[in-house]
Amino acid sequence: MHPSPVFPASAVRGSAAHQTRPAALTARGLTRTFGRGDSAVHAVAGLDLDLAAGSFTAVIGPSGSGKSTLLHLLAGLDRPDGGSVRLGDADLNTLDEDALTALRRDRMGFVLQDFSLLPALSVAENIDLPFSLGLEPARRDARWRDHLIGALGLSGLLDRRPGQLSGGQQQRVAVVRALAHRPAVVFADEPTGNLDLGAGRRLLGLLRGLAAEQGVTIVMVTHDVAAAALADRVIVLADGTVARDIAVAGTTTPEDLAAIVVAAGGDR
């Protein structure tokens, strides 16, 4: 595969088309309910899902459809009431908290809405935090880290603290930290929410490159149908179940996706 503007030749590892790869992440009969009795909310209701290695999947749907809950369950940030989640050969339900924490640290990357940056640390220290928390030193790749920092326009900000950054800059720091150790799966919750149009497009290009050229599995929850239309696949949730499963591949427009979400029961 030819290197892209986001991934120069030195950064590309080489990969086959993700369609030929086995499922990286699998959910079976996944359920999560909040509350009891008449007030119970079935946020995820018996959901089955297979996500191929090297795929870029966007999850959209009306507010309250279960998007963020599903992401948290797939990432092991929350425990399901029923069903299972597997990352490769690891069954998340069977892992204790220490093993689950190690799995998230070693094989997952996270871009969450609250950024989760430590205010007392510099940008550089926040980016390197996973390595301070036990990630193997052999996973440290200074060239790749510096490439990400440059690609997301953070080169001049490494000595600043999070409080000295805009929301969009903090989000880009969180993205670099999520990707610096080359995770197998990246979970992104509204990753373009605090970015201007140009920065958002660069980030989405970065995520597409990770999936297509390095075999990383991307799971992105978003209200932005324009961002979703750039994914390989779009899962539309409604009432905690898969209402539509769309292979986008450049054929589904943001307007099409917006209409599908409205039909599913909401404005996004």
Side-chain angles (χ1 to χ4, degrees), residues 200-263:
R201 292 288 171 169
R202 287 193 296 274
L203 173 56
L204 292 170
L206 181 66
L207 295 177
R208 283 177 60 85
L210 279 168
E213 298 174 5
Q214 300 204 32
V216 179
T217 302
I218 308 294
V219 185
M220 176 180 73
V221 166
T222 184
H223 284 84
D224 184 350
V225 290
L230 295 174
D232 305 323
R233 177 184 182 191
V234 176
I235 302 295
V236 183
L237 293 188
D239 298 324
T241 62
V242 176
R244 294 283 297 273
D245 187 344
I246 306 164
V248 182
T251 62
T252 305
T253 68
E255 292 76 17
D256 293 334
L257 293 176
I260 290 169
V261 172
V262 170

Side-chain angles (χ1 to χ4, degrees), residues 149-169:
I149 288 168
L152 290 176
L154 296 172
S155 299
L157 304 176
L158 296 179
D159 293 330
R160 295 191 186 182
R161 298 288 191 270
Q164 298 172 302
L165 304 178
S166 68
Q169 290 168 334

Side-chain angles (χ1 to χ4, degrees), residues 41-218:
V41 175
H42 303 290
V44 176
L47 188 144
D48 294 334
L49 192 62
D50 292 290
L51 299 175
S55 62
F56 181 8
T57 302
V59 181
I60 64 175
S63 296
S65 60
K67 301 183 296 296
S68 291
T69 300
L70 175 61
L71 183 143
H72 289 174
L73 292 173
L74 293 176
L77 296 170
D78 189 16
R79 298 276 189 176
D81 297 314
S84 65
V85 176
R86 298 187 69 91
L87 174 59
D89 57 0
D91 184 341
L92 272 59
N93 287 9
T94 66
L95 302 180
D96 62 24
E97 287 303 320
D98 288 343
L100 193 54
T101 297
L103 182 75
R104 288 195 297 260
R105 180 196 64 204
D106 294 344
R107 300 177 63 184
M108 300 179 187
F110 296 92
V111 184
L112 303 177
Q113 292 188 52
D114 64 359
F115 313 137
S116 299
L117 302 179
L118 297 186
L121 300 184
S122 68
V123 166
E125 291 166 335
N126 269 286
I127 289 171
D128 293 335
L129 187 61
F131 295 97
S132 302
L133 298 176
L135 199 61
E136 292 181 9
R139 299 278 296 278
R140 190 185 294 270
D141 183 339
R143 193 172 187 177
W144 173 242
R145 171 188 180 274
D146 292 346
H147 170 72
L148 292 171
I149 288 168
L152 290 176
L154 296 172
S155 299
L157 304 176
L158 296 179
D159 293 330
R160 295 191 186 182
R161 298 288 191 270
Q164 298 172 302
L165 304 178
S166 68
Q169 290 168 334
Q170 291 184 53
Q171 189 146 30
R172 282 180 274 153
V173 174
V175 170
V176 175
R177 183 183 59 193
L179 304 181
H181 64 294
R182 296 184 184 270
V185 182
V186 172
F187 295 97
D189 194 355
E190 301 287 356
T192 61
N194 288 280
L195 303 181
D196 60 37
L197 183 60
R201 292 288 171 169
R202 287 193 296 274
L203 173 56
L204 292 170
L206 181 66
L207 295 177
R208 283 177 60 85
L210 279 168
E213 298 174 5
Q214 300 204 32
V216 179
T217 302
I218 308 294

